Coordinates of all heavy atoms in Angstrom, one line a residue:
M1 N 0.8 -1.2 0.0 CA 0.0 0.0 0.0 C 0.9 1.2 0.0 O 2.0 1.2 0.6 CB -0.9 0.0 1.2 CG -1.8 1.2 1.3 SD -3.3 1.0 2.2 CE -4.1 -0.3 1.6
N2 N 0.4 2.3 -0.7 CA 1.1 3.6 -0.7 C 0.4 4.6 0.1 O -0.8 4.5 0.2 CB 1.2 4.0 -2.2 CG 1.9 3.0 -3.1 OD1 2.8 2.4 -2.7 ND2 1.3 2.9 -4.2
Y3 N 1.2 5.5 0.8 CA 0.6 6.5 1.6 C 1.1 7.8 1.3 O 2.3 8.0 0.9 CB 0.9 6.2 3.1 CG 0.2 4.9 3.6 CD1 1.0 3.8 3.8 CD2 -1.1 4.9 4.0 CE1 0.3 2.6 4.3 CE2 -1.7 3.8 4.4 CZ -1.0 2.6 4.6 OH -1.6 1.5 5.1
K4 N 0.4 8.9 1.7 CA 0.9 10.2 1.7 C 0.4 10.9 3.0 O -0.6 10.7 3.5 CB 0.5 11.0 0.5 CG -0.9 11.3 0.2 CD -1.1 12.1 -1.1 CE -2.5 12.3 -1.4 NZ -2.7 13.0 -2.7
V5 N 1.3 11.8 3.5 CA 1.1 12.5 4.7 C 1.4 14.0 4.5 O 2.4 14.4 3.9 CB 2.0 12.0 5.9 CG1 1.8 12.8 7.1 CG2 1.8 10.6 6.1
K6 N 0.4 14.8 4.8 CA 0.6 16.3 4.7 C 1.6 16.8 5.8 O 1.4 16.4 7.0 CB -0.8 17.0 4.9 CG -0.7 18.5 4.9 CD -0.9 19.0 3.5 CE -1.1 20.5 3.4 NZ -0.2 21.1 2.5
V7 N 2.5 17.5 5.4 CA 3.5 18.1 6.3 C 3.5 19.6 6.2 O 3.3 20.2 5.1 CB 4.9 17.5 6.1 CG1 4.9 16.0 6.5 CG2 5.4 17.7 4.7
N8 N 3.8 20.3 7.3 CA 3.8 21.8 7.3 C 5.2 22.4 7.3 O 5.3 23.6 7.0 CB 3.0 22.3 8.5 CG 1.6 21.8 8.4 OD1 0.9 21.9 7.4 ND2 1.1 21.2 9.5
N9 N 6.2 21.6 7.6 CA 7.5 22.2 7.6 C 8.6 21.1 7.4 O 8.3 19.9 7.4 CB 7.8 23.0 8.9 CG 7.5 22.2 10.1 OD1 8.0 21.1 10.3 ND2 6.7 22.8 11.0
E10 N 9.8 21.6 7.4 CA 11.0 20.6 7.2 C 11.1 19.6 8.3 O 11.4 18.4 8.1 CB 12.3 21.4 7.0 CG 13.4 20.6 6.5 CD 13.3 20.0 5.1 OE1 12.7 20.7 4.3 OE2 13.8 18.9 4.9
A11 N 10.9 20.1 9.5 CA 11.0 19.2 10.7 C 10.0 18.1 10.7 O 10.3 16.9 10.9 CB 10.9 20.0 12.0
E12 N 8.8 18.5 10.3 CA 7.7 17.5 10.2 C 8.0 16.5 9.1 O 7.7 15.3 9.2 CB 6.4 18.2 9.9 CG 5.3 17.8 10.9 CD 4.0 18.6 10.6 OE1 3.4 18.5 9.5 OE2 3.6 19.3 11.5
S13 N 8.5 17.0 8.0 CA 8.8 16.2 6.8 C 9.9 15.1 7.2 O 9.8 14.0 6.9 CB 9.3 17.0 5.7 OG 9.8 16.2 4.6
K14 N 10.9 15.6 7.9 CA 12.0 14.7 8.4 C 11.4 13.6 9.3 O 11.7 12.4 9.1 CB 13.1 15.5 9.1 CG 14.2 14.6 9.4 CD 15.4 15.4 10.0 CE 16.5 14.5 10.4 NZ 17.6 15.2 11.0
E15 N 10.6 14.0 10.2 CA 10.0 13.0 11.2 C 9.1 12.0 10.4 O 9.3 10.8 10.7 CB 9.1 13.7 12.2 CG 8.4 12.8 13.2 CD 7.4 13.5 14.1 OE1 6.9 14.6 13.8 OE2 7.2 12.9 15.2
V16 N 8.3 12.4 9.5 CA 7.5 11.5 8.7 C 8.3 10.6 7.9 O 8.0 9.4 7.8 CB 6.5 12.3 7.9 CG1 5.8 11.4 6.8 CG2 5.4 13.0 8.7
Q17 N 9.3 11.1 7.3 CA 10.2 10.2 6.5 C 10.9 9.1 7.3 O 10.9 8.0 7.0 CB 11.3 11.1 5.8 CG 10.7 11.9 4.7 CD 11.8 12.8 4.0 OE1 12.8 12.2 3.5 NE2 11.6 14.1 4.0
E18 N 11.3 9.5 8.5 CA 12.0 8.5 9.4 C 10.9 7.5 9.9 O 11.3 6.3 10.0 CB 12.6 9.2 10.6 CG 13.8 10.1 10.3 CD 14.3 10.9 11.4 OE1 13.7 10.9 12.5 OE2 15.3 11.6 11.2
L19 N 9.7 7.9 10.1 CA 8.7 6.9 10.5 C 8.4 5.9 9.3 O 8.2 4.7 9.5 CB 7.4 7.6 10.9 CG 7.5 8.4 12.2 CD1 6.2 9.3 12.4 CD2 7.6 7.5 13.4
F20 N 8.3 6.5 8.1 CA 8.1 5.6 7.0 C 9.3 4.6 6.8 O 9.0 3.4 6.5 CB 7.9 6.4 5.7 CG 6.5 6.8 5.4 CD1 6.2 8.2 5.1 CD2 5.5 5.9 5.4 CE1 4.9 8.6 4.9 CE2 4.1 6.4 5.2 CZ 3.9 7.7 4.9
F21 N 10.5 5.1 7.0 CA 11.6 4.2 6.9 C 11.6 3.1 7.9 O 11.9 1.9 7.6 CB 12.9 5.0 7.0 CG 13.3 5.9 5.9 CD1 13.9 7.1 6.2 CD2 12.9 5.6 4.6 CE1 14.2 8.0 5.2 CE2 13.2 6.5 3.6 CZ 13.8 7.7 3.9
E22 N 11.1 3.4 9.1 CA 11.0 2.4 10.2 C 10.0 1.3 9.8 O 10.1 0.2 10.2 CB 10.6 3.1 11.5 CG 10.8 2.3 12.7 CD 10.6 3.1 14.0 OE1 10.9 4.3 14.0 OE2 10.3 2.4 15.0
L23 N 9.0 1.7 9.0 CA 8.0 0.7 8.5 C 8.4 0.0 7.2 O 7.7 -0.9 6.7 CB 6.7 1.4 8.2 CG 5.9 2.0 9.5 CD1 4.7 2.8 9.1 CD2 5.5 0.8 10.4
G24 N 9.6 0.3 6.7 CA 10.1 -0.3 5.5 C 9.6 0.3 4.2 O 9.7 -0.4 3.2
Y25 N 9.2 1.5 4.2 CA 8.7 2.2 3.0 C 9.9 3.0 2.4 O 10.8 3.4 3.1 CB 7.6 3.1 3.4 CG 6.3 2.4 3.5 CD1 5.9 1.8 4.7 CD2 5.3 2.4 2.5 CE1 4.7 1.1 4.9 CE2 4.1 1.8 2.6 CZ 3.8 1.2 3.8 OH 2.6 0.5 3.9
M26 N 9.7 3.2 1.1 CA 10.6 4.1 0.4 C 9.9 5.4 0.2 O 8.8 5.5 -0.3 CB 11.0 3.5 -1.0 CG 11.8 4.5 -1.8 SD 12.1 3.8 -3.5 CE 13.1 2.4 -3.1
V27 N 10.5 6.5 0.6 CA 9.9 7.8 0.4 C 10.2 8.3 -1.0 O 11.3 8.2 -1.5 CB 10.5 8.8 1.5 CG1 10.0 10.2 1.2 CG2 10.1 8.4 2.9
V28 N 9.1 8.7 -1.7 CA 9.2 9.1 -3.1 C 8.7 10.5 -3.3 O 7.9 10.7 -4.2 CB 8.5 8.0 -4.0 CG1 9.2 6.7 -4.0 CG2 7.1 7.8 -3.5
N29 N 9.1 11.4 -2.5 CA 8.6 12.8 -2.6 C 9.5 13.7 -3.4 O 9.5 14.9 -3.2 CB 8.3 13.3 -1.2 CG 9.6 13.5 -0.4 OD1 10.6 12.8 -0.6 ND2 9.6 14.3 0.6
N30 N 10.3 13.1 -4.3 CA 11.3 14.0 -5.0 C 10.6 14.6 -6.2 O 11.2 15.5 -6.8 CB 12.5 13.2 -5.4 CG 12.2 12.1 -6.4 OD1 11.1 11.5 -6.4 ND2 13.1 11.7 -7.2
I31 N 9.4 14.2 -6.6 CA 8.7 14.8 -7.7 C 7.8 15.8 -7.2 O 7.0 15.6 -6.3 CB 7.9 13.7 -8.5 CG1 8.9 12.6 -9.0 CG2 7.2 14.3 -9.7 CD1 8.2 11.4 -9.5
D32 N 7.8 17.0 -7.7 CA 7.1 18.2 -7.1 C 5.7 18.2 -7.6 O 5.3 19.2 -8.2 CB 7.9 19.4 -7.4 CG 7.4 20.6 -6.6 OD1 6.8 20.4 -5.5 OD2 7.7 21.7 -7.0
C33 N 4.9 17.1 -7.5 CA 3.5 17.1 -8.0 C 2.6 17.8 -7.0 O 1.7 18.5 -7.4 CB 3.1 15.6 -8.2 SG 1.5 15.4 -8.8
E34 N 2.7 17.4 -5.7 CA 1.8 18.0 -4.7 C 2.7 18.5 -3.6 O 3.2 17.7 -2.8 CB 0.9 17.0 -4.1 CG -0.2 16.6 -5.1 CD -1.3 15.7 -4.4 OE1 -1.8 16.2 -3.4 OE2 -1.5 14.6 -4.8
K35 N 2.9 19.8 -3.5 CA 3.8 20.4 -2.5 C 3.1 20.1 -1.1 O 1.9 20.2 -1.0 CB 4.0 21.8 -2.7 CG 4.9 22.1 -3.9 CD 5.2 23.6 -4.0 CE 6.0 23.7 -5.2 NZ 7.0 24.7 -5.1
G36 N 4.0 19.9 -0.1 CA 3.5 19.7 1.2 C 3.1 18.3 1.6 O 2.6 18.1 2.7
Y37 N 3.4 17.3 0.8 CA 3.2 15.9 1.1 C 4.4 15.1 1.1 O 5.3 15.3 0.2 CB 2.2 15.3 0.1 CG 0.8 15.8 0.3 CD1 0.2 16.9 -0.4 CD2 -0.1 15.1 1.2 CE1 -1.1 17.3 -0.2 CE2 -1.4 15.5 1.4 CZ -1.9 16.6 0.7 OH -3.2 17.0 0.9
V38 N 4.5 14.2 2.0 CA 5.5 13.1 1.9 C 4.8 11.9 1.4 O 3.8 11.5 2.0 CB 6.2 12.9 3.3 CG1 7.1 11.7 3.2 CG2 7.0 14.1 3.7
V39 N 5.3 11.3 0.4 CA 4.6 10.1 -0.2 C 5.6 8.9 -0.1 O 6.8 9.1 -0.3 CB 4.3 10.3 -1.7 CG1 3.7 9.1 -2.3 CG2 3.3 11.5 -1.8
A40 N 5.1 7.8 0.3 CA 5.9 6.6 0.5 C 5.2 5.4 -0.1 O 4.0 5.3 -0.2 CB 6.1 6.4 2.0
S41 N 6.1 4.4 -0.5 CA 5.6 3.2 -1.2 C 6.5 2.0 -0.8 O 7.7 2.2 -0.6 CB 5.7 3.4 -2.7 OG 5.4 2.2 -3.3
K42 N 5.9 0.9 -0.7 CA 6.7 -0.4 -0.5 C 6.9 -1.0 -1.9 O 7.6 -2.0 -2.0 CB 5.9 -1.3 0.4 CG 6.1 -1.0 1.9 CD 5.8 -2.2 2.7 CE 6.1 -1.9 4.2 NZ 5.8 -3.0 5.1
N43 N 6.2 -0.5 -2.9 CA 6.2 -1.2 -4.2 C 7.3 -0.6 -5.2 O 7.7 -1.2 -6.1 CB 4.9 -1.1 -4.9 CG 3.8 -1.7 -4.0 OD1 4.0 -2.6 -3.3 ND2 2.6 -1.1 -4.1
A44 N 7.7 0.7 -4.9 CA 8.6 1.3 -5.8 C 10.0 0.7 -5.8 O 10.4 0.4 -4.7 CB 8.6 2.8 -5.5
E45 N 10.6 0.6 -6.9 CA 12.0 0.1 -6.9 C 13.0 1.3 -6.6 O 14.0 1.0 -6.1 CB 12.3 -0.5 -8.3 CG 11.5 -1.8 -8.5 CD 11.7 -2.4 -9.9 OE1 12.7 -2.0 -10.5 OE2 10.9 -3.2 -10.3
S46 N 12.6 2.5 -7.0 CA 13.4 3.7 -6.7 C 12.5 4.9 -6.8 O 11.4 4.8 -7.4 CB 14.5 3.8 -7.7 OG 14.0 4.3 -8.9
P47 N 12.8 6.0 -6.2 CA 12.0 7.2 -6.3 C 11.9 7.7 -7.7 O 10.9 8.4 -8.0 CB 12.7 8.2 -5.4 CG 13.6 7.4 -4.6 CD 14.0 6.1 -5.3
V48 N 12.8 7.4 -8.5 CA 12.9 7.9 -9.9 C 11.8 7.3 -10.8 O 11.1 8.0 -11.5 CB 14.3 7.7 -10.5 CG1 14.3 8.2 -11.9 CG2 15.3 8.5 -9.7
N49 N 11.6 6.0 -10.7 CA 10.6 5.3 -11.5 C 9.2 5.2 -10.9 O 8.4 4.6 -11.5 CB 11.1 4.0 -12.0 CG 11.2 2.9 -10.9 OD1 10.8 3.2 -9.8 ND2 11.7 1.8 -11.2
F50 N 9.0 5.8 -9.8 CA 7.7 5.7 -9.1 C 6.9 6.9 -9.6 O 6.6 7.9 -8.9 CB 7.9 5.7 -7.6 CG 6.6 5.5 -6.9 CD1 5.9 4.3 -7.0 CD2 6.1 6.4 -6.0 CE1 4.7 4.1 -6.3 CE2 5.0 6.2 -5.3 CZ 4.3 5.1 -5.4
D51 N 6.6 6.9 -10.9 CA 6.0 8.1 -11.5 C 4.5 8.3 -11.3 O 3.9 9.3 -11.7 CB 6.3 8.1 -13.0 CG 5.8 6.9 -13.7 OD1 5.3 6.0 -13.1 OD2 5.9 6.8 -15.0
Y52 N 3.8 7.3 -10.7 CA 2.4 7.4 -10.5 C 2.0 7.8 -9.1 O 0.9 7.8 -8.6 CB 1.7 6.0 -10.8 CG 2.3 4.9 -9.9 CD1 1.7 4.5 -8.7 CD2 3.4 4.1 -10.4 CE1 2.2 3.5 -8.0 CE2 3.8 3.1 -9.6 CZ 3.2 2.8 -8.4 OH 3.7 1.8 -7.7
W53 N 3.0 8.4 -8.3 CA 2.8 8.7 -6.9 C 1.7 9.8 -6.7 O 1.1 9.9 -5.7 CB 4.1 9.0 -6.2 CG 4.6 10.4 -6.4 CD1 5.4 10.8 -7.4 CD2 4.4 11.6 -5.6 NE1 5.7 12.1 -7.3 CE2 5.1 12.6 -6.2 CE3 3.7 11.8 -4.4 CZ2 5.1 13.9 -5.7 CZ3 3.7 13.1 -3.9 CH2 4.4 14.1 -4.5
C54 N 1.5 10.6 -7.7 CA 0.5 11.7 -7.6 C -0.9 11.1 -7.4 O -1.8 11.8 -6.9 CB 0.5 12.6 -8.8 SG 2.1 13.4 -9.0
D55 N -1.1 9.9 -7.8 CA -2.4 9.2 -7.7 C -2.6 8.5 -6.4 O -3.7 7.9 -6.2 CB -2.6 8.2 -8.8 CG -2.6 8.9 -10.2 OD1 -3.1 10.0 -10.3 OD2 -2.1 8.3 -11.2
V56 N -1.7 8.6 -5.5 CA -1.9 8.0 -4.2 C -3.0 8.6 -3.4 O -3.1 9.8 -3.2 CB -0.6 8.1 -3.3 CG1 -0.8 7.5 -1.9 CG2 0.6 7.4 -4.0
K57 N -4.0 7.8 -3.1 CA -5.3 8.2 -2.5 C -5.3 8.0 -1.0 O -6.1 8.6 -0.3 CB -6.5 7.5 -3.1 CG -6.6 7.6 -4.6 CD -7.1 9.0 -5.0 CE -7.4 9.0 -6.5 NZ -6.5 9.8 -7.3
N58 N -4.3 7.2 -0.5 CA -4.3 6.9 1.0 C -3.6 8.0 1.8 O -2.5 7.8 2.2 CB -3.6 5.5 1.2 CG -4.3 4.4 0.5 OD1 -5.6 4.4 0.5 ND2 -3.6 3.6 -0.2
T59 N -4.3 9.1 2.0 CA -3.8 10.1 2.8 C -4.0 9.8 4.3 O -5.2 9.5 4.7 CB -4.4 11.5 2.5 OG1 -4.2 11.7 1.1 CG2 -3.8 12.6 3.3
I60 N -3.0 9.8 5.1 CA -3.1 9.6 6.5 C -2.5 10.8 7.3 O -1.7 11.6 6.7 CB -2.4 8.3 6.9 CG1 -0.9 8.3 6.6 CG2 -3.1 7.1 6.3 CD1 -0.2 7.0 7.1
T61 N -2.8 10.9 8.5 CA -2.2 12.0 9.3 C -0.9 11.5 9.9 O -0.5 10.3 10.0 CB -3.1 12.3 10.5 OG1 -3.2 11.2 11.4 CG2 -4.5 12.8 10.0
N62 N -0.1 12.5 10.4 CA 1.1 12.2 11.1 C 0.9 11.3 12.3 O 1.6 10.3 12.5 CB 1.8 13.5 11.6 CG 3.2 13.4 12.0 OD1 3.7 12.3 12.3 ND2 3.9 14.5 12.0
Q63 N -0.2 11.5 13.0 CA -0.5 10.7 14.2 C -0.9 9.3 13.8 O -0.5 8.3 14.4 CB -1.7 11.3 15.0 CG -2.0 10.6 16.3 CD -0.8 10.5 17.2 OE1 -0.2 11.5 17.5 NE2 -0.4 9.3 17.6
Q64 N -1.6 9.1 12.7 CA -1.9 7.7 12.2 C -0.7 7.0 11.8 O -0.5 5.8 12.1 CB -2.9 7.8 11.0 CG -4.3 8.2 11.4 CD -5.1 8.5 10.2 OE1 -4.7 9.2 9.2 NE2 -6.3 7.9 10.1
L65 N 0.3 7.7 11.2 CA 1.6 7.1 10.9 C 2.3 6.7 12.1 O 2.9 5.6 12.2 CB 2.4 8.0 10.0 CG 3.8 7.5 9.6 CD1 3.7 6.3 8.8 CD2 4.5 8.6 8.8
K66 N 2.3 7.5 13.2 CA 3.0 7.2 14.4 C 2.3 5.9 15.0 O 3.0 5.1 15.6 CB 2.9 8.4 15.4 CG 3.8 9.5 15.0 CD 3.6 10.7 16.0 CE 4.4 11.9 15.6 NZ 4.2 13.0 16.5
D67 N 1.0 5.9 15.0 CA 0.3 4.7 15.5 C 0.7 3.4 14.8 O 0.8 2.4 15.4 CB -1.2 4.9 15.4 CG -1.7 6.0 16.4 OD1 -1.0 6.4 17.3 OD2 -2.9 6.4 16.2
M68 N 0.8 3.5 13.5 CA 1.3 2.4 12.7 C 2.6 1.9 13.1 O 2.9 0.7 13.2 CB 1.3 2.7 11.2 CG -0.1 2.9 10.6 SD -0.1 3.6 8.9 CE 0.9 2.4 8.0
V69 N 3.5 2.8 13.4 CA 4.9 2.4 13.9 C 4.8 1.8 15.2 O 5.5 0.8 15.5 CB 5.8 3.7 13.9 CG1 7.1 3.4 14.6 CG2 6.1 4.2 12.5
V70 N 4.0 2.3 16.1 CA 3.9 1.7 17.5 C 3.3 0.3 17.3 O 3.8 -0.6 18.0 CB 3.0 2.6 18.3 CG1 2.6 1.9 19.6 CG2 3.7 3.9 18.7
L71 N 2.3 0.1 16.5 CA 1.8 -1.2 16.3 C 2.8 -2.2 15.7 O 2.9 -3.4 16.1 CB 0.5 -1.2 15.4 CG -0.7 -0.5 16.0 CD1 -1.8 -0.4 15.0 CD2 -1.2 -1.4 17.2
K72 N 3.6 -1.7 14.8 CA 4.6 -2.6 14.2 C 5.7 -3.0 15.3 O 6.1 -4.1 15.3 CB 5.3 -1.9 13.0 CG 6.4 -2.8 12.4 CD 7.1 -2.0 11.3 CE 8.1 -2.9 10.7 NZ 9.4 -2.9 11.3
R73 N 6.1 -2.0 16.1 CA 7.1 -2.3 17.1 C 6.6 -3.4 18.1 O 7.4 -4.2 18.6 CB 7.4 -1.0 17.9 CG 8.3 -0.1 17.2 CD 8.6 1.0 18.2 NE 9.1 2.2 17.5 CZ 8.8 3.5 17.8 NH1 8.1 3.7 18.9 NH2 9.2 4.5 17.1
N74 N 5.3 -3.3 18.4 CA 4.7 -4.2 19.4 C 5.6 -4.3 20.7 O 5.8 -5.4 21.2 CB 4.5 -5.6 18.7 CG 3.6 -6.5 19.5 OD1 2.7 -6.0 20.2 ND2 3.7 -7.8 19.3
S75 N 5.9 -3.2 21.2 CA 6.8 -3.1 22.3 C 6.0 -2.6 23.6 O 5.3 -1.6 23.5 CB 8.0 -2.1 22.1 OG 8.7 -1.9 23.2
I76 N 6.3 -3.2 24.7 CA 5.7 -2.7 25.9 C 6.1 -1.3 26.3 O 5.5 -0.5 27.0 CB 5.9 -3.7 27.1 CG1 5.0 -3.4 28.3 CG2 7.4 -3.7 27.5 CD1 4.8 -4.5 29.2
D77 N 7.3 -0.9 25.8 CA 7.8 0.4 26.1 C 6.9 1.5 25.4 O 7.0 2.7 25.8 CB 9.2 0.6 25.5 CG 10.2 -0.3 26.2 OD1 9.9 -0.7 27.4 OD2 11.2 -0.7 25.6
D78 N 6.1 1.2 24.4 CA 5.2 2.1 23.8 C 3.9 2.2 24.5 O 3.0 3.0 24.1 CB 5.0 1.8 22.3 CG 6.2 2.0 21.5 OD1 7.0 2.9 21.8 OD2 6.5 1.2 20.6
A79 N 3.6 1.4 25.5 CA 2.3 1.4 26.2 C 2.1 2.6 27.0 O 3.0 3.3 27.4 CB 2.3 0.2 27.1
N80 N 0.8 3.0 27.1 CA 0.4 4.2 27.9 C 0.3 3.8 29.3 O -0.2 2.9 29.8 CB -0.9 4.7 27.4 CG -0.8 5.2 26.0 OD1 0.3 5.4 25.5 ND2 -1.9 5.5 25.3

């Protein structure tokens, strides 16, 4: 599945990219199709040939992405 997350600044972009990397995704936001989004894919072989990323419909929030990372970790250290 491919995802995109709206970001408001460079710090948010960096955080989102790191979270995607932790989930095993490749960040493919080098094409300036939609400013303000970080787009990630598990299917792309490289950011260069992932030319259909503008069609990614799975927009999630930064918090939803954080929740996905916590679920993947499955660590008691992440418990509330």
